[in-house]
Amino acid sequence: MRLIVLSLLLSAISAAPLMAAEPAPSAQAAAATPLVIGETFTIESKALGETRRINVYRPQPWGLDPKAPLPVLYMADGGIGEDFLHVAGLVQVLSGNGSMRPFLLVGIENTERRRDMTGPSSDPQDQKIAPRIGGSAAYRSFLRDELMPQVRQRYPTTDERALIGESLAGLFVVETLLQEPTLFNSYIALDPSLWWNRGAMLAAAAKQLPAVTRAQPRVFLASSGQPELAASAAQLATLLQQASPSPLVKYLPLPEETHATIYHPAALQALRTLFPAPPPASP
């Protein structure tokens, strides 16, 4: 028993210097706080039969009155985990460096993206991409009749409105341009999925051009290096540019970009092109 006690004492003595050498615990780190860049709210949508989350960013470049009414840029795929943050960054830097006029950015977070961004399709392959498709008309009603009035009620805005989307959301932008061209003043469609329903939207576009030309919206189209998407976007741009009188149409092919990388560089050019800031006043 004594040997056991002695060995324990020796162990304690030998360990003591090591224990004393351990650094003292550091001071408690300051508590982190949320990083806030905008606002978020929800809408109980009757048109869609569900609750939709809306994210809003208002840039504040130097010299802008915080209460000044702003035009509004609506974007599908507008969730925090989707495209909202990088488009908000573009709006911030471009309005801050004088490359574009300030816009209020309103992002709509997705629930069933392939339902909301697509019209009906008779193509069996299209019908396989999601449990439900063909809800674009209801989504447009949600924008027009529910979201836009809420935005006008909550924020100081002008009457100028723009819509931006990529891929299937770009398809929705084009469909809205052709079916309801007065709903927005500017339409930005990046790599739009015009293959939907075997290209029926593009095939019928010529019949809808008279209403588009009367509305005179501004249109920005861009395509990646994906051949089918590039060909259909170029064809749509040609149709719009040949209309008389022609709406303001800009087509930007970006063959070095893929379908996965086109959104940011194309959106940068679209915002600069469609919404340039006025030149500074002469001293």
Side-chain angles (χ1 to χ4, degrees):
M1 181 69 178
R2 289 178 181 176
L3 291 175
I4 296 174
V5 172
L6 181 60
S7 64
L8 291 173
L9 288 172
L10 291 172
S11 299
I13 292 170
S14 63
L18 295 177
M19 296 172 63
E22 291 180 0
S26 61
Q28 184 177 2
T33 57
L35 179 64
V36 179
I37 70 161
E39 296 182 352
T40 185
F41 64 91
T42 59
I43 293 181
E44 296 297 329
S45 172
K46 294 181 179 179
L48 299 173
E50 62 188 13
T51 303
R52 300 305 295 258
R53 178 160 296 280
I54 310 301
N55 299 311
V56 180
Y57 174 70
R58 179 188 171 95
Q60 194 57 51
W62 184 84
L64 178 66
D65 183 347
K67 297 181 180 180
L70 293 183
V72 186
L73 175 60
Y74 291 88
M75 63 173 296
D77 300 331
I80 292 296
E82 299 168 329
D83 291 302
F84 182 78
L85 288 178
H86 79 88
V87 176
L90 287 176
V91 172
Q92 168 62 26
V93 71
L94 293 177
S95 60
N97 65 24
S99 296
M100 72 171 287
R101 293 181 285 119
F103 270 68
L104 185 74
L105 179 66
V106 176
I108 305 104
E109 190 169 300
N110 284 314
T111 55
E112 294 184 55
R113 182 176 188 266
R114 293 177 175 179
R115 173 202 66 186
D116 293 338
M117 300 296 107
T118 60
S121 176
S122 59
D123 188 336
Q125 295 304 311
D126 291 349
Q127 295 169 2
K128 293 178 182 179
I129 73 167
R132 294 193 290 178
I133 62 171
S136 59
Y139 189 76
R140 195 158 32 253
S141 294
F142 162 68
L143 291 180
R144 182 201 320 109
D145 303 327
E146 297 175 334
L147 178 56
M148 288 182 179
Q150 274 280 323
V151 170
R152 288 193 295 267
Q153 178 182 334
R154 289 172 176 267
Y155 303 99
T157 65
T158 70
D159 291 334
E160 183 179 356
R161 303 175 300 276
L163 179 66
I164 185 172
E166 182 261 352
S167 192
L168 284 176
L171 176 75
F172 175 78
V173 171
V174 174
E175 182 187 89
T176 303
L177 167 69
L178 296 175
Q179 294 191 9
E180 199 167 343
T182 60
L183 188 56
F184 297 92
N185 306 99
S186 300
Y187 294 82
I188 303 170
L190 312 176
D191 239 10
S193 300
L194 296 173
W195 48 263
W196 182 257
N197 195 21
R198 300 189 180 95
M201 185 185 301
L202 187 56
K207 298 179 181 178
Q208 297 167 302
L209 285 182
V212 174
T213 57
R214 285 194 298 271
Q216 286 291 290
R218 291 166 295 186
V219 182
F220 187 99
L221 300 169
S223 61
S224 68
Q226 189 165 326
E228 182 183 7
L229 295 174
S232 58
Q235 185 179 347
L236 176 61
T238 299
L239 282 172
L240 292 170
Q241 290 166 344
Q242 290 178 345
S244 181
S246 172
L248 174 61
V249 178
K250 169 69 175 179
Y251 171 53
L252 178 66
L254 293 171
E256 70 279 10
E257 302 295 343
T258 69
H259 191 60
T261 65
I262 189 174
Y263 201 144
H264 199 80
L268 171 70
Q269 296 301 325
L271 299 179
R272 281 174 167 173
T273 300
L274 295 185
F275 314 126
S282 301

